[in-house]
Amino acid sequence: MARPVLLFGMMLRSLAFTRAFSSLKPAPSNFQRRVVHYATSDELKMDNIYMEWSLEDDKILHNNRHLSPVRLASMLGRGMHGVEARMKKLTNVDSTAYRRLFGGEDIQNTDTKENTSNKLTPVKEVLRRIQWDPTLPASSFSIIHYDRVEDTLCET
């Protein structure tokens, strides 16, 4: 008895499926399909990641600000988050990047003012850069820390 009920349920689902999709019409003849462009490996190279932003890079970024961050990152050979961060700096009137792009100030004078602060770079940021920056070989670095229990400096 279970078998006819199962077949009847499957027939009802099949009938509902065909009714739902039978009202769909074929696309008109002038319908243009959307073409999706997949980036090649050459377009995805991030050759300029962790490199200093040049004035030319800033001009390209500002002139193409209407494009998506992914497209801008592939154009400039940088990471998407780096492009987003740079765009924020270029829209902030107090930043050095904005002054360099629009004000024409000498960037060396403004950089020295900002670099004189006594802020240390967080360890997490330093380790992340050593790990992911292809221009820095990780084998060139070692970490030295103070072991309070043994009262010595340890190198890892």
Side-chain angles (χ1 to χ4, degrees), residues 12-29:
L12 282 177
R13 275 189 246 133
S14 174
L15 184 63
F17 183 79
T18 55
R19 281 189 184 160
F21 287 101
S22 66
S23 63
L24 294 177
K25 297 176 184 173
S29 61

Side-chain angles (χ1 to χ4, degrees), residues 137-148:
S139 60
S140 301
F141 296 92
S142 64
I143 299 174
I144 299 174
H145 66 278
Y146 175 70
D147 188 350
R148 292 183 288 174

Side-chain angles (χ1 to χ4, degrees), residues 21 31 47 73 75 83 87 93 101 109 125 135 143:
F21 287 101
F31 178 76
D47 296 333
M75 282 174 58
V83 167
M87 284 299 292
V93 294
L101 184 61
N109 293 339
E125 177 65 25
T135 61
I143 299 174

Side-chain angles (χ1 to χ4, degrees), residues 92-107:
N92 181 4
V93 294
D94 296 327
S95 75
T96 339
Y98 181 89
R99 287 194 302 262
R100 180 174 76 168
L101 184 61
F102 298 109
E105 285 186 20
D106 185 17
I107 195 66

